[in-house]
Amino acid sequence: MPVRAITDTYVFPSSSRQELYGDDQLVHVLWRGNMTLCAAACFRAPKAMTWSAFLTEMVEPWAGSDPDYVPGSARDWVLDGRPFTPEPDRTLAELGVGHKSLIEFWV
Amino acid sequence: MAKKLPLKQRYAALTRDVHWEPSYVDPEKVFPYTSFEGIKIHDWSKWEDPFRLTVDAYHKYQAEKDKRLYAVLDGFAQSQGHLTLSDARYLNAMKLFIQGVTPLEYAAHRHFAFLARYLNGAGPRFAALCQSIDELRHTQTEIHTLSIYNKYYPGFHNWNRMHDRVWYLSVPKSFFDDAISAGPFEFLIAISFSFEYLLTNLLFVPFMSGASFNGDLPSMTFGFSAQSDESRHMTLGLEAIKFLLEQDEGNVPIIQDWIDKWFWRGYRVAALVAAMTDYMLPKKFMSWKEAFELYFEEQMLGGLFPDLAFYGIKPPRHVEHAIGEKDILSHQVYWVLYQFSFAASFTTTVPEPYELDWLSSQYPDTFDRFYRPLWDKARKIQENGGRFFFKGLPQLCQTCQIPMAFTEPGDPTTICQRHTVYNGERFDFCSDGCQWVFEREPEKYVQAWMPVHQIYQGNCGGPSVPEVLAWYGIQEGDNGEYLGSVEHTNWQRWHATAPVGS
């Protein structure tokens, strides 16, 4: 259902569109089965960042907010609803991680 | 000497008689905003103003109320009344109020002034004018009331700037911006009906009763002072919806759609009130669940909606999700506030043992099972010299802008994830309700100013937390953990039994 507006055309760009982040994009990471961290985290990550860099520089420091997190224990990765196997040396873009993709894991 | 007119005629002379039908100018040009929404009005004179207030009577009443309020404020300030509060922790609730609610009063003042110019009928124009003045008075009296605490406690000083910038305040702000940027009839359903009638007791009673139970005489008095205005606003809300429904059958589906949208939008804003009610009041008076059952389920679903069924109006869409959340909502939201309070203009802390027990008694099915263990864990971290914070930024719901901490219906352990792809971009939602609201008007919600996304774009003072806090206007002592904070230390010092001057 379109907006009913006072003008004939009501078209505005998204305030969160990918181009506003240059070579980076927003990536959401959710630790499933853990109620301590209240929500998924949102990161700004370069598309060319490798999975291993993304994991050690962004995901693990955040997961470590919970003192029960053991580095390296994340498993059963899911990308945008589909199980996936991250390869450490491939970039986020190569792995199919897009702007505002949701990555989930269990420990 | 002119004879004084009887009341009814005086009211007519001072309100309806100053109205005329434009003949030199096309009425469409005089009232350009009341047709595009698809609402049909055949006879504006059918709008009844049940209060029949005239300008002079209105000012007389309000002046008397103000006199009484300001006498209380003076007495409280002179007698160091702030020292008689239940606890300094209580003031976190009032920080939330001045940052989150007071700016909405001002926004309401502005938009009711707009309606007072642009509605076609003299009756609703005058009602909107009175409400506009009311809302400005509420803004001023709230600022004056809470300025008493600003002298002694952090977190009260920058509320207006914070309202425009801070992540949790984008929740109430975006709600009102959404209403103001809609057409005039949608605004009436959004604010006068959904906010002022459907949800008002849920939104205001916890703050005002909380004030009364926790020794906050100024806020309680303000609440009483505003109460007679609020009853007029509620009546306006009910009058608005009945008028629109009676004018044309074609209005019914449009109104139903707005009720569906604005119930969910308003209910999500109320999530902040839920957390405040259960966790921020040292002296408890009523749980969120109890308030929800009484003010919403009994009074609205049980009382109002059966009346509206006569017009073909059904209870709001997604209402079953709201009912399903009553045992978990406040716990989820306060847990969010606890772990993000490093970036808030209030402090949080692990609830005291008596509070945990009270929560167990109020929420026997959920608290001990899901939430007490989290607080036990947080306390343990604190006992080991730490403090649990979420080291990062959260995923936000595109519609309500609350961090996506809400859970799947019927399963409090699984975070709810919904998303919609629009124009090739993914948008995330916390619930079916928020997704539905977005999909009605995606062109509107893609423009949302999402605090986390804006920080990452570099629009909030800089990339680091201290830079963002400085841009928010948050100063040392406003945020973080209550225990050991400026307000906690001062409170203890002011209540120490040592003789004065020692």
Side-chain angles (χ1 to χ4, degrees):
Chain A
M1 188 183 125
V3 158
R4 273 178 192 259
I6 195 84
T7 54
D8 294 335
T9 51
Y10 185 94
V11 180
F12 295 92
S14 155
S15 303
S16 301
R17 61 193 185 278
Q18 193 278 321
E19 70 190 58
L20 297 168
Y21 300 91
D23 296 331
D24 302 348
Q25 58 189 9
L26 299 180
V27 182
H28 293 124
V29 180
L30 178 60
W31 178 351
R32 281 286 184 196
N34 173 8
M35 289 177 74
T36 304
L37 292 163
C38 66
C42 178
F43 300 107
R44 176 177 172 159
K47 291 181 205 173
M49 193 176 213
T50 61
W51 176 263
S52 66
F54 178 60
L55 196 62
T56 53
E57 291 168 33
M58 294 191 176
V59 178
E60 299 231 297
W62 160 72
S65 306
D66 183 342
D68 294 338
Y69 178 74
V70 178
S73 63
R75 58 177 175 79
D76 299 339
W77 296 93
V78 173
L79 170 61
D80 293 333
R82 291 182 305 280
F84 98 119
T85 309
E87 295 157 71
D89 298 332
R90 298 188 77 189
T91 65
L92 294 178
E94 288 167 346
L95 288 167
V97 177
H99 183 50
K100 294 195 236 167
S101 267
L102 176 69
I103 297 172
E104 300 165 81
F105 68 86
W106 296 79
V107 298
Chain B
M1 181 77 185
K3 202 160 67 81
K4 206 169 169 195
L5 292 169
L7 205 59
K8 198 173 166 180
Q9 283 170 290
R10 245 180 111 247
Y11 167 76
L14 285 168
T15 56
R16 306 302 163 97
D17 283 8
V18 294
H19 177 74
W20 68 92
E21 292 299 330
S23 53
Y24 296 106
V25 180
D26 176 7
E28 280 286 317
K29 285 207 165 72
V30 182
F31 302 109
Y33 301 116
T34 39
S35 52
F36 81 91
E37 295 174 279
I39 292 286
K40 291 187 180 65
I41 305 294
H42 304 289
D43 183 359
W44 278 98
S45 72
K46 289 279 190 292
W47 181 297
E48 284 302 327
D49 176 0
F51 284 89
R52 302 229 170 104
L53 262 183
T54 54
V55 169
D56 53 345
Y58 174 85
H59 282 97
K60 195 169 136 259
Y61 291 138
Q62 301 298 54
E64 282 169 11
K65 285 199 291 187
D66 267 8
K67 258 198 218 108
R68 284 198 293 272
L69 171 66
Y70 283 93
V72 169
L73 298 190
D74 283 349
F76 191 82
Q78 284 162 3
S79 65
Q80 298 296 324
H82 73 96
L83 295 175
T84 63
L85 292 171
S86 59
D87 190 27
R89 278 182 306 152
Y90 158 76
L91 288 170
N92 287 309
M94 296 328 282
K95 292 171 198 172
L96 203 56
F97 188 85
I98 198 167
Q99 297 158 15
V101 180
T102 301
L104 300 190
E105 307 263 23
Y106 188 71
H109 150 69
R110 287 174 56 200
H111 207 71
F112 276 104
F114 176 88
L115 296 189
R117 158 61 185 86
Y118 284 109
L119 290 174
N120 306 48
R125 276 207 304 274
F126 192 74
L129 179 68
C130 284
Q131 181 153 357
S132 175
I133 306 170
D134 287 341
E135 303 291 5
L136 185 57
R137 191 180 77 93
H138 293 183
T139 309
Q140 291 171 331
T141 48
E142 285 165 24
I143 296 166
H144 280 142
T145 298
L146 292 168
S147 70
I148 292 174
Y149 299 120
N150 184 45
K151 285 182 184 169
Y152 303 102
Y153 301 90
F156 284 98
H157 55 90
N158 234 338
W159 51 271
N160 204 16
R161 175 170 155 189
M162 288 176 188
H163 187 76
D164 289 338
R165 297 184 177 191
V166 180
W167 60 276
Y168 60 94
L169 297 171
S170 80
V171 176
K173 180 184 167 72
S174 69
F175 165 88
F176 229 94
D177 285 357
D178 191 351
I180 283 178
S181 52
F185 294 120
E186 185 178 346
F187 178 86
L188 279 172
I189 297 302
I191 303 305
S192 293
F193 178 70
S194 298
F195 198 69
E196 300 265 21
Y197 198 97
L198 205 54
L199 298 166
T200 190
N201 284 341
L202 272 184
L203 292 158
F204 284 92
V205 169
F207 278 110
M208 296 315 152
S209 301
S212 121
F213 275 75
N214 286 274
D216 183 0
L217 188 67
S219 300
M220 182 189 82
T221 313
F222 155 75
F224 283 132
S225 169
Q227 207 164 31
S228 53
D229 302 340
E230 295 297 350
S231 62
R232 239 179 324 107
H233 302 173
M234 287 179 81
T235 310
L236 175 64
L238 207 54
E239 183 60 40
I241 196 165
K242 288 194 166 160
F243 172 73
L244 294 177
L245 291 168
E246 284 167 2
Q247 280 293 305
D248 196 288
E249 223 161 287
N251 294 345
V252 176
I254 302 176
I255 302 286
Q256 179 72 56
D257 199 46
W258 286 338
I259 290 174
D260 292 349
K261 171 185 170 179
W262 288 99
F263 160 71
W264 190 260
R265 291 288 275 128
Y267 167 71
R268 270 293 180 249
V269 172
L272 286 169
V273 184
M276 187 284 295
T277 308
D278 281 347
Y279 284 88
M280 289 178 153
L281 300 173
K283 279 217 172 82
K284 315 294 180 191
F285 77 98
M286 187 187 233
S287 67
W288 166 259
K289 180 185 176 179
E290 200 181 340
F292 185 86
E293 287 172 343
L294 172 65
Y295 296 125
F296 187 73
E297 288 186 84
E298 270 179 53
Q299 290 181 2
M300 296 301 155
L301 293 181
L304 171 72
F305 277 95
D307 290 350
L308 291 177
F310 168 77
Y311 298 101
I313 291 292
K314 297 190 297 285
R317 194 185 292 249
H318 301 115
V319 72
E320 69 284 4
H321 291 325
I323 295 167
E325 283 184 347
K326 68 185 175 189
D327 277 299
I328 58 177
L329 183 72
S330 66
H331 314 301
Q332 291 178 336
V333 176
Y334 194 73
W335 188 236
V336 172
L337 297 178
Y338 178 80
Q339 59 195 278
F340 283 105
S341 62
F342 62 87
S345 190
F346 54 78
T347 60
T348 53
T349 193
V350 176
E352 301 273 334
Y354 78 88
E355 293 177 290
L356 295 171
D357 293 343
W358 180 80
L359 289 164
S360 300
S361 72
Q362 297 296 311
Y363 297 95
D365 300 333
T366 52
F367 189 73
D368 285 355
R369 192 172 155 202
F370 300 113
Y371 308 108
R372 190 186 276 266
L374 295 173
W375 292 114
D376 290 346
K377 185 169 173 173
R379 187 186 298 103
K380 208 183 301 167
I381 293 170
Q382 213 156 12
E383 283 165 357
N384 292 329
R387 167 57 154 93
F388 170 58
F389 286 125
F390 187 109
K391 296 192 183 84
L393 302 177
Q395 180 187 27
L396 299 179
C397 171
Q398 185 75 25
T399 302
C400 71
Q401 306 199 9
I402 298 174
M404 283 180 41
F406 300 110
T407 46
E408 287 289 348
D411 177 9
T413 63
T414 302
I415 300 281
C416 183
Q417 288 277 344
R418 298 285 183 272
H419 73 272
T420 296
V421 175
Y422 177 73
N423 280 350
E425 184 179 344
R426 176 188 171 122
F427 294 91
D428 299 294
F429 311 101
C430 69
S431 56
D432 293 339
C434 281
Q435 183 175 29
W436 179 82
V437 170
F438 176 92
E439 289 181 348
R440 280 179 74 253
E441 302 169 301
E443 307 90 329
K444 190 173 191 181
Y445 292 101
V446 296
Q447 303 166 69
W449 194 90
M450 306 290 286
V452 168
H453 303 175
Q454 293 298 322
I455 289 170
Y456 279 138
Q457 283 172 37
N459 297 333
C460 305
S464 72
V465 170
E467 285 165 306
V468 173
L469 296 189
W471 185 79
Y472 281 175
I474 290 175
Q475 298 167 0
E476 190 62 37
D478 291 341
N479 57 339
E481 167 60 40
Y482 172 75
L483 295 178
S485 65
V486 176
E487 57 195 348
H488 179 224
T489 321
N490 281 344
W491 182 259
Q492 288 185 308
R493 205 159 44 85
W494 294 333
H495 290 82
T497 49
V500 175
S502 65

